Amino acid sequence: MANLATREAYGKALVELGKENKDVVVLDADLSKSTKTADFAKAFPDRFFNMGIAEGDMMATAAGFATCGKIPFASTFAIFASGRAFEQIRNSICYPELNVKVVATHAGLTVGEDGATHQSVEDLAIMRAIPNMTVICPCDDVETMAAIKEVAAMKGPVYIRLGRSSVPTLNNEADYKFEIGKAVTLREGKDVTIFATGIMVSEALKAADLLEKQGIDAQVINIHTIKPIDEKAVIEAAKKTGAVVTCEEHSVVGGLGSAVCEVLSEYCPVPVKRVGVMDMFGESGKPAELLKEYGLTAENIVEAAKAVVENKK
């Protein structure tokens, strides 16, 4: 499998979009080399706007572009998009339901050495709580490129969460179809369901292989759209396997795990374990070291799966 960061795929997708649709405009908060919007700036300088280190102004300007019929993609690091610009996203974009795409890079612990101040592990929870907002977290470069094209075609505000580090390519570009709000079953199984999002999808697949060697048949479902979550897929999977594990590079508070538990508590209560950051700040370190330190590895998923399988007996 190839390895490419989802932010790299974002840069490539923007250039393709720019060729196809002249209404696409891109805004960035002086981080274009890191967010990869620099690719678009080079190809279409008249439709690129560096707003400086002023994320609130950037979101308000993006809202203005949307009122004029443009399709603005506004990018910065996840910690700044969901934190500094929260009020503008809530009041200027989501309240009037404007057609703005907020694409946040450098999410989660894998920002690495930048440490807790730059490791956004709350952004999914923050964005999921805003009415009218669609929230997407792709698992690889193929899914990212497909998601960017899909959200450009829909009307309304979207938050897309991308990572800094390279991740394995799991999907086949030739036949992959991205549908907003539609979960993707990557592996069938009968004993336990592992719901994963973003970079944790590849770890979930590794965990399923390890579980198979221990006699546990796990199915793996990629939840790329956190909101609206695919309730039907969640309920059917829980009824089928009777036990659930959720995996995310995000706090266990308010993200994928919470979204899945909200559905299950109403329609199909089953034993659940949430694999994620346990309501704490991160530290500075290498991405792989941090994932291990905070319990976000395939081995951690295996332990969670064994626990929920035991609980349903």
Side-chain angles (χ1 to χ4, degrees), residues 164-193:
R164 178 185 196 178
S165 302
S166 297
V167 292
T169 298
L170 304 175
N171 294 293
N172 185 349
E173 186 175 2
D175 60 10
Y176 181 70
K177 181 173 174 54
F178 181 89
E179 294 182 63
I180 296 170
K182 184 72 173 177
V184 181
T185 300
L186 298 175
R187 175 173 174 146
E188 297 284 355
K190 60 181 175 55
D191 296 328
V192 60
T193 300

Side-chain angles (χ1 to χ4, degrees), residues 122-291:
E122 312 89 356
D123 56 315
L124 292 178
I126 293 168
M127 291 296 131
R128 198 168 73 87
I130 306 176
N132 296 328
M133 181 63 101
T134 294
V135 180
I136 293 171
C137 184
C139 70
D140 68 2
D141 58 311
V142 172
E143 191 161 81
T144 298
M145 292 193 70
I148 294 300
K149 292 180 180 178
E150 193 69 16
V151 301
M154 67 164 277
K155 295 290 185 183
V158 181
Y159 179 84
I160 301 181
R161 184 189 214 235
L162 304 178
R164 178 185 196 178
S165 302
S166 297
V167 292
T169 298
L170 304 175
N171 294 293
N172 185 349
E173 186 175 2
D175 60 10
Y176 181 70
K177 181 173 174 54
F178 181 89
E179 294 182 63
I180 296 170
K182 184 72 173 177
V184 181
T185 300
L186 298 175
R187 175 173 174 146
E188 297 284 355
K190 60 181 175 55
D191 296 328
V192 60
T193 300
I194 304 172
F195 294 112
T197 194
I199 70 166
M200 293 302 289
V201 174
S202 61
E203 290 300 309
L205 289 169
K206 292 178 191 173
D209 288 339
L210 295 172
L211 286 164
E212 184 178 26
K213 295 175 182 175
Q214 300 180 45
I216 296 176
D217 188 14
Q219 70 175 354
V220 177
I221 297 180
N222 171 18
I223 304 285
H224 54 60
T225 305
I226 311 298
K227 181 188 177 186
I229 196 166
D230 190 341
E231 291 189 353
K232 181 181 178 184
V234 171
I235 295 167
E236 287 181 351
K239 287 181 177 178
K240 176 184 174 184
T241 63
V244 164
V245 174
T246 64
C247 312
E248 58 195 311
E249 189 201 10
H250 181 273
S251 172
V252 294
V253 180
L256 173 66
S258 294
V260 169
C261 287
E262 288 164 12
V263 175
L264 295 180
S265 65
E266 284 196 48
Y267 302 106
C268 184
V270 297
V272 178
K273 281 283 187 183
R274 292 169 296 158
V275 174
V277 180
M278 294 297 169
D279 195 21
M280 60 181 69
F281 290 107
E283 301 172 78
S284 178
K286 300 289 185 187
E289 295 172 344
L290 292 170
L291 294 177

